[in-house]
Tab-separated table of all heavy atoms in Angstrom:
chain	number	residue	atom	x	y	z
A	242	GLY	N	0.821	-1.205	0.002
A	242	GLY	CA	0.003	-0.003	-0.003
A	242	GLY	C	0.861	1.252	0.001
A	242	GLY	O	1.991	1.246	0.494
A	243	TRP	N	0.324	2.288	-0.596
A	243	TRP	CA	0.913	3.623	-0.512
A	243	TRP	C	0.048	4.471	0.404
A	243	TRP	O	-1.196	4.476	0.276
A	243	TRP	CB	1.015	4.269	-1.875
A	243	TRP	CG	2.137	3.760	-2.732
A	243	TRP	CD1	2.081	2.800	-3.696
A	243	TRP	CD2	3.496	4.202	-2.702
A	243	TRP	NE1	3.316	2.613	-4.260
A	243	TRP	CE2	4.200	3.463	-3.665
A	243	TRP	CE3	4.192	5.158	-1.955
A	243	TRP	CZ2	5.550	3.648	-3.913
A	243	TRP	CZ3	5.532	5.341	-2.193
A	243	TRP	CH2	6.211	4.597	-3.153
A	244	PHE	N	0.699	5.212	1.269
A	244	PHE	CA	0.035	6.086	2.226
A	244	PHE	C	0.696	7.454	2.142
A	244	PHE	O	1.812	7.590	1.640
A	244	PHE	CB	0.179	5.523	3.638
A	244	PHE	CG	-0.398	4.148	3.805
A	244	PHE	CD1	0.290	3.020	3.356
A	244	PHE	CD2	-1.643	3.962	4.382
A	244	PHE	CE1	-0.234	1.755	3.489
A	244	PHE	CE2	-2.182	2.689	4.533
A	244	PHE	CZ	-1.480	1.582	4.072
A	245	ARG	N	0.014	8.466	2.657
A	245	ARG	CA	0.628	9.782	2.714
A	245	ARG	C	0.200	10.506	3.975
A	245	ARG	O	-0.870	10.234	4.537
A	245	ARG	CB	0.269	10.608	1.483
A	245	ARG	CG	-1.212	10.987	1.363
A	245	ARG	CD	-1.456	11.714	0.044
A	245	ARG	NE	-2.857	12.087	-0.109
A	245	ARG	CZ	-3.363	12.642	-1.202
A	245	ARG	NH1	-2.578	12.896	-2.258
A	245	ARG	NH2	-4.644	12.951	-1.261
A	246	GLN	N	1.066	11.392	4.399
A	246	GLN	CA	0.769	12.206	5.565
A	246	GLN	C	1.188	13.631	5.269
A	246	GLN	O	2.374	13.912	5.073
A	246	GLN	CB	1.476	11.684	6.820
A	246	GLN	CG	1.068	12.418	8.072
A	246	GLN	CD	1.497	11.705	9.339
A	246	GLN	OE1	2.394	10.860	9.329
A	246	GLN	NE2	0.849	12.013	10.446
A	247	ALA	N	0.198	14.502	5.243
A	247	ALA	CA	0.466	15.916	5.015
A	247	ALA	C	0.800	16.574	6.345
A	247	ALA	O	0.409	16.085	7.411
A	247	ALA	CB	-0.756	16.576	4.387
A	248	PRO	N	1.502	17.688	6.315
A	248	PRO	CA	1.856	18.373	7.562
A	248	PRO	C	0.610	18.700	8.384
A	248	PRO	O	-0.352	19.271	7.864
A	248	PRO	CB	2.540	19.647	7.064
A	248	PRO	CG	3.078	19.290	5.716
A	248	PRO	CD	2.085	18.338	5.138
A	249	GLY	N	0.639	18.306	9.633
A	249	GLY	CA	-0.465	18.614	10.531
A	249	GLY	C	-1.696	17.755	10.359
A	249	GLY	O	-2.730	18.004	10.995
A	250	LYS	N	-1.603	16.741	9.503
A	250	LYS	CA	-2.762	15.895	9.259
A	250	LYS	C	-2.439	14.441	9.573
A	250	LYS	O	-1.270	14.048	9.671
A	250	LYS	CB	-3.215	16.025	7.809
A	250	LYS	CG	-3.745	17.400	7.453
A	250	LYS	CD	-4.355	17.416	6.061
A	250	LYS	CE	-4.955	18.778	5.740
A	250	LYS	NZ	-5.580	18.798	4.389
A	251	GLU	N	-3.462	13.641	9.679
A	251	GLU	CA	-3.278	12.221	9.926
A	251	GLU	C	-2.861	11.515	8.626
A	251	GLU	O	-3.173	11.961	7.535
A	251	GLU	CB	-4.568	11.608	10.461
A	251	GLU	CG	-4.939	12.087	11.856
A	251	GLU	CD	-6.119	11.317	12.439
A	251	GLU	OE1	-6.666	10.459	11.739
A	251	GLU	OE2	-6.458	11.584	13.596
A	252	ARG	N	-2.187	10.418	8.806
A	252	ARG	CA	-1.817	9.587	7.652
A	252	ARG	C	-3.072	9.039	7.004
A	252	ARG	O	-4.028	8.656	7.684
A	252	ARG	CB	-0.923	8.448	8.112
A	252	ARG	CG	-0.376	7.577	7.011
A	252	ARG	CD	0.459	6.470	7.592
A	252	ARG	NE	-0.352	5.615	8.450
A	252	ARG	CZ	0.154	4.810	9.394
A	252	ARG	NH1	1.451	4.768	9.605
A	252	ARG	NH2	-0.651	4.068	10.114
A	253	GLU	N	-3.070	8.975	5.681
A	253	GLU	CA	-4.202	8.403	4.966
A	253	GLU	C	-3.695	7.437	3.894
A	253	GLU	O	-2.608	7.595	3.346
A	253	GLU	CB	-5.045	9.499	4.296
A	253	GLU	CG	-4.318	10.299	3.244
A	253	GLU	CD	-5.228	11.240	2.464
A	253	GLU	OE1	-6.461	11.076	2.528
A	253	GLU	OE2	-4.699	12.135	1.778
A	254	VAL	N	-4.520	6.439	3.621
A	254	VAL	CA	-4.170	5.491	2.575
A	254	VAL	C	-4.467	6.121	1.212
A	254	VAL	O	-5.401	6.908	1.067
A	254	VAL	CB	-4.930	4.167	2.753
A	254	VAL	CG1	-6.419	4.358	2.588
A	254	VAL	CG2	-4.386	3.108	1.825
A	255	VAL	N	-3.627	5.797	0.251
A	255	VAL	CA	-3.780	6.337	-1.095
A	255	VAL	C	-4.179	5.228	-2.071
A	255	VAL	O	-5.141	5.373	-2.830
A	255	VAL	CB	-2.477	7.001	-1.551
A	255	VAL	CG1	-2.550	7.384	-3.022
A	255	VAL	CG2	-2.155	8.208	-0.701
A	256	SER	N	-3.436	4.143	-2.047
A	256	SER	CA	-3.664	3.073	-3.011
A	256	SER	C	-3.047	1.794	-2.506
A	256	SER	O	-2.077	1.812	-1.751
A	256	SER	CB	-3.049	3.452	-4.371
A	256	SER	OG	-3.314	2.469	-5.342
A	257	CYS	N	-3.607	0.658	-2.976
A	257	CYS	CA	-3.098	-0.643	-2.566
A	257	CYS	C	-3.089	-1.590	-3.761
A	257	CYS	O	-3.901	-1.447	-4.686
A	257	CYS	CB	-3.966	-1.244	-1.470
A	257	CYS	SG	-4.122	-0.216	0.000
A	258	ILE	N	-2.186	-2.552	-3.726
A	258	ILE	CA	-2.080	-3.517	-4.810
A	258	ILE	C	-1.841	-4.907	-4.239
A	258	ILE	O	-1.106	-5.066	-3.258
A	258	ILE	CB	-0.955	-3.100	-5.790
A	258	ILE	CG1	-0.970	-3.967	-7.042
A	258	ILE	CG2	0.416	-3.111	-5.110
A	258	ILE	CD1	-0.102	-3.407	-8.185
A	259	SER	N	-2.492	-5.878	-4.832
A	259	SER	CA	-2.348	-7.257	-4.365
A	259	SER	C	-0.965	-7.806	-4.703
A	259	SER	O	-0.218	-7.216	-5.473
A	259	SER	CB	-3.431	-8.132	-4.994
A	259	SER	OG	-3.323	-8.112	-6.401
A	260	SER	N	-0.662	-8.940	-4.132
A	260	SER	CA	0.685	-9.508	-4.257
A	260	SER	C	1.077	-9.787	-5.710
A	260	SER	O	2.235	-9.604	-6.080
A	260	SER	CB	0.816	-10.783	-3.438
A	260	SER	OG	-0.163	-11.724	-3.825
A	261	ASN	N	0.115	-10.210	-6.516
A	261	ASN	CA	0.435	-10.503	-7.923
A	261	ASN	C	0.132	-9.341	-8.857
A	261	ASN	O	0.278	-9.443	-10.072
A	261	ASN	CB	-0.299	-11.760	-8.405
A	261	ASN	CG	-1.800	-11.579	-8.430
A	261	ASN	OD1	-2.335	-10.512	-8.123
A	261	ASN	ND2	-2.501	-12.648	-8.798
A	262	GLY	N	-0.315	-8.240	-8.284
A	262	GLY	CA	-0.603	-7.059	-9.091
A	262	GLY	C	-1.962	-7.098	-9.777
A	262	GLY	O	-2.300	-6.159	-10.497
A	263	GLY	N	-2.730	-8.139	-9.539
A	263	GLY	CA	-3.974	-8.298	-10.265
A	263	GLY	C	-5.120	-7.449	-9.765
A	263	GLY	O	-6.091	-7.220	-10.495
A	264	SER	N	-5.018	-6.979	-8.537
A	264	SER	CA	-6.079	-6.155	-7.971
A	264	SER	C	-5.499	-4.887	-7.379
A	264	SER	O	-4.426	-4.923	-6.767
A	264	SER	CB	-6.823	-6.926	-6.874
A	264	SER	OG	-7.471	-8.074	-7.407
A	265	THR	N	-6.224	-3.796	-7.572
A	265	THR	CA	-5.783	-2.515	-7.032
A	265	THR	C	-6.975	-1.783	-6.407
A	265	THR	O	-8.135	-2.055	-6.736
A	265	THR	CB	-5.177	-1.627	-8.120
A	265	THR	OG1	-6.154	-1.402	-9.145
A	265	THR	CG2	-3.933	-2.258	-8.720
A	266	ARG	N	-6.656	-0.875	-5.526
A	266	ARG	CA	-7.671	-0.010	-4.928
A	266	ARG	C	-7.089	1.387	-4.792
A	266	ARG	O	-5.875	1.551	-4.600
A	266	ARG	CB	-8.106	-0.549	-3.565
A	266	ARG	CG	-9.051	-1.724	-3.677
A	266	ARG	CD	-9.620	-2.121	-2.325
A	266	ARG	NE	-10.616	-3.171	-2.500
A	266	ARG	CZ	-11.925	-2.959	-2.473
A	266	ARG	NH1	-12.378	-1.741	-2.279
A	266	ARG	NH2	-12.762	-3.946	-2.628
A	267	TYR	N	-7.976	2.389	-4.878
A	267	TYR	CA	-7.567	3.778	-4.741
A	267	TYR	C	-8.550	4.505	-3.849
A	267	TYR	O	-9.758	4.264	-3.876
A	267	TYR	CB	-7.559	4.474	-6.111
A	267	TYR	CG	-6.599	3.869	-7.093
A	267	TYR	CD1	-6.976	2.844	-7.952
A	267	TYR	CD2	-5.285	4.329	-7.178
A	267	TYR	CE1	-6.094	2.284	-8.842
A	267	TYR	CE2	-4.380	3.780	-8.081
A	267	TYR	CZ	-4.797	2.753	-8.914
A	267	TYR	OH	-3.917	2.207	-9.796
A	268	THR	N	-8.011	5.443	-3.080
A	268	THR	CA	-8.906	6.317	-2.352
A	268	THR	C	-9.564	7.267	-3.360
A	268	THR	O	-8.984	7.588	-4.403
A	268	THR	CB	-8.133	7.082	-1.259
A	268	THR	OG1	-9.055	7.667	-0.345
A	268	THR	CG2	-7.273	8.175	-1.858
A	269	GLU	N	-10.773	7.681	-3.056
A	269	GLU	CA	-11.589	8.416	-4.025
A	269	GLU	C	-10.895	9.656	-4.552
A	269	GLU	O	-11.002	9.973	-5.745
A	269	GLU	CB	-12.924	8.789	-3.383
A	269	GLU	CG	-13.993	9.210	-4.370
A	269	GLU	CD	-14.417	8.094	-5.306
A	269	GLU	OE1	-14.420	6.923	-4.883
A	269	GLU	OE2	-14.726	8.403	-6.479
A	270	SER	N	-10.172	10.359	-3.710
A	270	SER	CA	-9.599	11.647	-4.095
A	270	SER	C	-8.477	11.546	-5.127
A	270	SER	O	-8.099	12.551	-5.731
A	270	SER	CB	-9.084	12.390	-2.856
A	270	SER	OG	-8.053	11.640	-2.234
A	271	VAL	N	-7.950	10.341	-5.339
A	271	VAL	CA	-6.833	10.212	-6.276
A	271	VAL	C	-7.189	9.398	-7.508
A	271	VAL	O	-6.364	9.233	-8.413
A	271	VAL	CB	-5.592	9.588	-5.589
A	271	VAL	CG1	-5.238	10.362	-4.340
A	271	VAL	CG2	-5.802	8.121	-5.280
A	272	LYS	N	-8.388	8.878	-7.566
A	272	LYS	CA	-8.793	8.059	-8.712
A	272	LYS	C	-8.660	8.870	-10.005
A	272	LYS	O	-9.067	10.022	-10.079
A	272	LYS	CB	-10.226	7.579	-8.531
A	272	LYS	CG	-10.375	6.435	-7.554
A	272	LYS	CD	-11.819	5.977	-7.460
A	272	LYS	CE	-11.952	4.808	-6.493
A	272	LYS	NZ	-13.365	4.374	-6.343
A	273	GLY	N	-8.101	8.242	-10.995
A	273	GLY	CA	-7.913	8.888	-12.278
A	273	GLY	C	-6.620	9.652	-12.400
A	273	GLY	O	-6.201	10.017	-13.498
A	274	ARG	N	-5.945	9.912	-11.277
A	274	ARG	CA	-4.669	10.633	-11.320
A	274	ARG	C	-3.500	9.776	-10.862
A	274	ARG	O	-2.375	9.975	-11.295
A	274	ARG	CB	-4.735	11.872	-10.434
A	274	ARG	CG	-5.769	12.896	-10.850
A	274	ARG	CD	-5.586	14.208	-10.100
A	274	ARG	NE	-5.754	14.039	-8.660
A	274	ARG	CZ	-4.799	14.318	-7.770
A	274	ARG	NH1	-3.622	14.770	-8.156
A	274	ARG	NH2	-5.039	14.159	-6.467
A	275	PHE	N	-3.755	8.834	-9.969
A	275	PHE	CA	-2.706	7.981	-9.415
A	275	PHE	C	-2.853	6.570	-10.001
A	275	PHE	O	-3.964	6.071	-10.194
A	275	PHE	CB	-2.833	7.855	-7.890
A	275	PHE	CG	-2.451	9.106	-7.132
A	275	PHE	CD1	-2.525	10.368	-7.690
A	275	PHE	CD2	-2.000	8.992	-5.819
A	275	PHE	CE1	-2.167	11.493	-6.974
A	275	PHE	CE2	-1.653	10.118	-5.075
A	275	PHE	CZ	-1.741	11.369	-5.659
A	276	THR	N	-1.728	5.942	-10.272
A	276	THR	CA	-1.715	4.564	-10.732
A	276	THR	C	-0.670	3.786	-9.951
A	276	THR	O	0.508	4.154	-9.942
A	276	THR	CB	-1.394	4.473	-12.235
A	276	THR	OG1	-2.341	5.235	-12.967
A	276	THR	CG2	-1.457	3.014	-12.702
A	277	ILE	N	-1.114	2.719	-9.316
A	277	ILE	CA	-0.203	1.859	-8.571
A	277	ILE	C	0.155	0.650	-9.449
A	277	ILE	O	-0.676	0.151	-10.227
A	277	ILE	CB	-0.830	1.407	-7.237
A	277	ILE	CG1	0.203	0.739	-6.336
A	277	ILE	CG2	-2.031	0.492	-7.487
A	277	ILE	CD1	-0.310	0.463	-4.923
A	278	SER	N	1.382	0.211	-9.336
A	278	SER	CA	1.821	-0.961	-10.083
A	278	SER	C	2.968	-1.607	-9.326
A	278	SER	O	3.465	-1.047	-8.334
A	278	SER	CB	2.259	-0.573	-11.509
A	278	SER	OG	3.350	0.320	-11.476
A	279	ARG	N	3.395	-2.748	-9.791
A	279	ARG	CA	4.520	-3.421	-9.145
A	279	ARG	C	5.228	-4.308	-10.147
A	279	ARG	O	4.637	-4.768	-11.117
A	279	ARG	CB	4.068	-4.229	-7.927
A	279	ARG	CG	3.149	-5.385	-8.237
A	279	ARG	CD	2.556	-5.989	-6.947
A	279	ARG	NE	3.590	-6.604	-6.110
A	279	ARG	CZ	3.401	-6.910	-4.812
A	279	ARG	NH1	2.249	-6.623	-4.230
A	279	ARG	NH2	4.368	-7.482	-4.133
A	280	ASP	N	6.489	-4.530	-9.887
A	280	ASP	CA	7.320	-5.447	-10.673
A	280	ASP	C	8.017	-6.335	-9.672
A	280	ASP	O	9.042	-5.943	-9.085
A	280	ASP	CB	8.310	-4.661	-11.535
A	280	ASP	CG	9.141	-5.552	-12.444
A	280	ASP	OD1	9.238	-6.763	-12.165
A	280	ASP	OD2	9.701	-5.028	-13.411
A	281	ASN	N	7.473	-7.512	-9.454
A	281	ASN	CA	8.037	-8.394	-8.429
A	281	ASN	C	9.443	-8.853	-8.777
A	281	ASN	O	10.249	-9.122	-7.879
A	281	ASN	CB	7.111	-9.576	-8.191
A	281	ASN	CG	5.880	-9.194	-7.385
A	281	ASN	OD1	5.846	-8.139	-6.741
A	281	ASN	ND2	4.861	-10.036	-7.423
A	282	ALA	N	9.748	-8.953	-10.056
A	282	ALA	CA	11.101	-9.343	-10.451
A	282	ALA	C	12.117	-8.299	-9.982
A	282	ALA	O	13.268	-8.638	-9.674
A	282	ALA	CB	11.181	-9.523	-11.952
A	283	LYS	N	11.681	-7.050	-9.929
A	283	LYS	CA	12.559	-5.965	-9.471
A	283	LYS	C	12.330	-5.642	-7.996
A	283	LYS	O	12.932	-4.693	-7.471
A	283	LYS	CB	12.339	-4.717	-10.321
A	283	LYS	CG	12.750	-4.884	-11.769
A	283	LYS	CD	12.548	-3.581	-12.534
A	283	LYS	CE	13.027	-3.752	-13.978
A	283	LYS	NZ	12.837	-2.498	-14.775
A	284	LYS	N	11.407	-6.369	-7.375
A	284	LYS	CA	11.083	-6.150	-5.941
A	284	LYS	C	10.677	-4.703	-5.700
A	284	LYS	O	11.008	-4.121	-4.670
A	284	LYS	CB	12.272	-6.531	-5.060
A	284	LYS	CG	12.705	-7.978	-5.185
A	284	LYS	CD	13.871	-8.303	-4.269
A	284	LYS	CE	14.273	-9.761	-4.394
A	284	LYS	NZ	15.401	-10.110	-3.490
A	285	THR	N	9.943	-4.153	-6.624
A	285	THR	CA	9.620	-2.733	-6.579
A	285	THR	C	8.142	-2.488	-6.863
A	285	THR	O	7.558	-3.116	-7.756
A	285	THR	CB	10.460	-1.966	-7.605
A	285	THR	OG1	11.850	-2.205	-7.357
A	285	THR	CG2	10.190	-0.473	-7.517
A	286	ALA	N	7.578	-1.582	-6.104
A	286	ALA	CA	6.233	-1.068	-6.366
A	286	ALA	C	6.355	0.388	-6.761
A	286	ALA	O	7.304	1.082	-6.366
A	286	ALA	CB	5.352	-1.224	-5.138
A	287	TYR	N	5.379	0.836	-7.537
A	287	TYR	CA	5.427	2.200	-8.053
A	287	TYR	C	4.105	2.909	-7.780
A	287	TYR	O	3.054	2.280	-7.670
A	287	TYR	CB	5.660	2.187	-9.573
A	287	TYR	CG	6.906	1.449	-10.001
A	287	TYR	CD1	6.830	0.121	-10.419
A	287	TYR	CD2	8.151	2.061	-9.988
A	287	TYR	CE1	7.959	-0.571	-10.820
A	287	TYR	CE2	9.287	1.373	-10.378
A	287	TYR	CZ	9.181	0.064	-10.789
A	287	TYR	OH	10.307	-0.624	-11.186
A	288	LEU	N	4.194	4.210	-7.702
A	288	LEU	CA	3.001	5.036	-7.661
A	288	LEU	C	3.219	6.181	-8.648
A	288	LEU	O	4.028	7.060	-8.403
A	288	LEU	CB	2.737	5.596	-6.261
A	288	LEU	CG	1.418	6.329	-6.089
A	288	LEU	CD1	0.238	5.355	-6.215
A	288	LEU	CD2	1.347	7.059	-4.754
A	289	GLN	N	2.517	6.094	-9.767
A	289	GLN	CA	2.563	7.150	-10.768
A	289	GLN	C	1.529	8.192	-10.389
A	289	GLN	O	0.341	7.864	-10.212
A	289	GLN	CB	2.265	6.586	-12.157
A	289	GLN	CG	2.227	7.637	-13.252
A	289	GLN	CD	3.583	8.220	-13.573
A	289	GLN	OE1	4.581	7.515	-13.607
A	289	GLN	NE2	3.624	9.525	-13.816
């Protein structure tokens, strides 16, 4: 999962991705602008 915390605010979840990358979820405020992905061969997750 990707989370964010703005100054003076509580941490909030942004997006999550399943282990195989087949399922994703986004918080409403970022839908259409944020894209989560992962490359397990590179042991890396991304947030565009």
Side-chain angles (χ1 to χ4, degrees):
W243 283 96
F244 301 78
R245 66 184 180 185
Q246 186 166 20
K250 294 188 177 181
E251 292 188 357
R252 185 182 62 201
E253 63 172 344
V254 65
V255 172
S256 183
C257 303
I258 189 167
S259 60
S260 57
N261 65 2
S264 297
T265 59
R266 283 188 174 258
Y267 298 90
T268 195
E269 195 65 33
S270 62
V271 307
K272 284 182 179 178
R274 298 192 298 120
F275 288 26
T276 303
I277 191 171
S278 62
R279 65 190 294 163
D280 183 340
N281 285 344
K283 295 182 178 179
K284 301 181 179 181
T285 303
Y287 304 96
L288 187 67
Q289 177 70 40

